[in-house]
Amino acid sequence: MTKSAIIIGASRGLGLGLATEHAARGWQVIATARGDAPDLAAAIAASGGRITLAHVDIDDADSVAALVAALGEARFDLIFVNAGVTGPGHASAAKASAEEIGALMMTNATAPIRIAERLLPRLNDGGTLAFMSSILGSVGLNTGGGYDLYRASKAALNTLTRSLAARLKDRPVSILSLHPGWVRTAMGGPSADIDVETSVRGLADVIAANTAPGHRYLDYKGDTLPW
Ligand SMILES: NC(=O)c1ccc[n+]([C@@H]2O[C@H](COP(=O)([O-])OP(=O)(O)OC[C@H]3O[C@@H](n4cnc5c(N)ncnc54)[C@H](OP(=O)(O)O)[C@@H]3O)[C@@H](O)[C@H]2O)c1
């Protein structure tokens, strides 16, 4: 049977790559954008009906409710919450305004869990709930500092995901906190290690290989990261 996915935050970058990669593997994919998304529109046009468009801004509760309503009876084998932001360029807890901290923590930590909670009733048994974390969210690997607030937002996402996974311990679903590598996107910049295609191919393989129930923190090569 054809597998189905919803990729949240698929207008460009890794989310768009994940939608395209899963469609190429024969999945039916709902890809979300929050505004104009010309690259996603081109991918949809080239997908032969494998990718369809939906809209959501994960920070906006009304927008999330509208998405859930628009989904009708749709169910998923993969719910992938990819949306994320860098936060203020200085990345400093000392310099950041309350608004900057609030916006970063909302988009990167709280809103992904909120939308996941709304979509979880639609996740099929044996399916996967994936969050785009980062190796920078690892407390154990943070020996060098830098990107302080962004790190904190992804560490918070990992912790909130652990709590969600604990609540879901009786459901036969896989929960993944994923590091995509350092990838050449608007966020990763032109000097990053790998291209989007390499990252999303790896991530799709990791998702396919890790369907057993439980919560895992893995990179795009399938290696386990320390919390
Ligand atoms: N690139 C890397 O090296 C790297 C490494 C580790 C982790 N990550 C993580 O990977 C994810 C994707 O990053 P990327 O590199 O592909 O960055 P990107 O090109 O900047 O894409 C970010 C995506 O998130 C969406 N988004 C942001 N805020 C949103 C919101 N409130 N509601 C809905 N969508 C929202 C953006 O939509 P718009 O087009 O509407 O802005 C865009 O689709 C992020 O979670 C990031 O933290 C990236």
Side-chain angles (χ1 to χ4, degrees):
M1 212 172 79
T2 303
K3 294 203 169 190
S4 61
I6 183 165
I7 315 289
I8 305 294
S11 60
R12 54 197 170 90
L14 286 161
L16 175 58
L18 284 164
T20 306
E21 178 67 22
H22 281 87
R25 294 181 184 212
W27 290 56
Q28 196 65 39
V29 179
I30 296 176
T32 81
R34 58 177 170 172
D36 284 346
D39 293 348
L40 175 56
I44 289 170
S47 75
R50 289 273 178 205
I51 308 177
T52 56
L53 177 66
H55 286 97
V56 70
D57 180 336
I58 63 169
D59 296 347
D60 180 343
D62 291 342
S63 177
V64 173
L67 170 70
V68 171
L71 290 175
E73 301 297 312
R75 297 189 61 82
F76 303 106
D77 300 294
L78 170 65
I79 297 168
F80 199 126
V81 187
N82 167 72
V85 292
T86 311
H90 55 70
S92 159
K95 290 182 188 159
S97 67
E99 289 72 24
E100 286 175 329
I101 294 170
L104 176 62
M105 291 297 171
M106 183 64 173
T107 304
N108 282 11
T110 313
I113 299 296
R114 288 186 181 187
I115 193 167
E117 298 246 25
R118 295 295 301 272
L119 294 174
L120 263 168
R122 297 163 178 276
L123 184 61
N124 292 328
D125 286 354
T128 299
L129 171 62
F131 294 93
M132 197 65 99
S133 181
S134 168
I135 198 169
L136 295 179
S138 168
V139 174
L141 289 176
N142 184 7
T143 53
Y147 307 101
D148 296 10
L149 285 177
Y150 178 79
R151 280 183 192 274
S153 72
K154 292 295 188 180
L157 173 61
N158 287 352
T159 293
L160 289 168
T161 306
R162 272 298 263 268
S163 297
L164 177 64
R167 289 199 293 285
L168 294 175
K169 67 180 188 327
D170 295 329
R171 277 197 65 183
V173 295
S174 170
I175 303 174
L176 302 178
S177 296
L178 295 171
H179 170 56
W182 183 26
V183 191
R184 292 190 287 276
T185 63
M187 182 183 289
S191 309
D193 289 336
I194 56 173
D195 59 19
V196 167
E197 290 70 24
T198 303
S199 175
V200 299
R201 209 180 307 122
L203 290 168
D205 288 345
V206 169
I207 290 165
N210 288 277
T211 54
H215 180 202
R216 288 170 283 270
Y217 185 20
L218 302 169
D219 71 10
Y220 75 105
K221 295 177 179 169
D223 292 333
T224 296
L225 297 173
W227 296 103

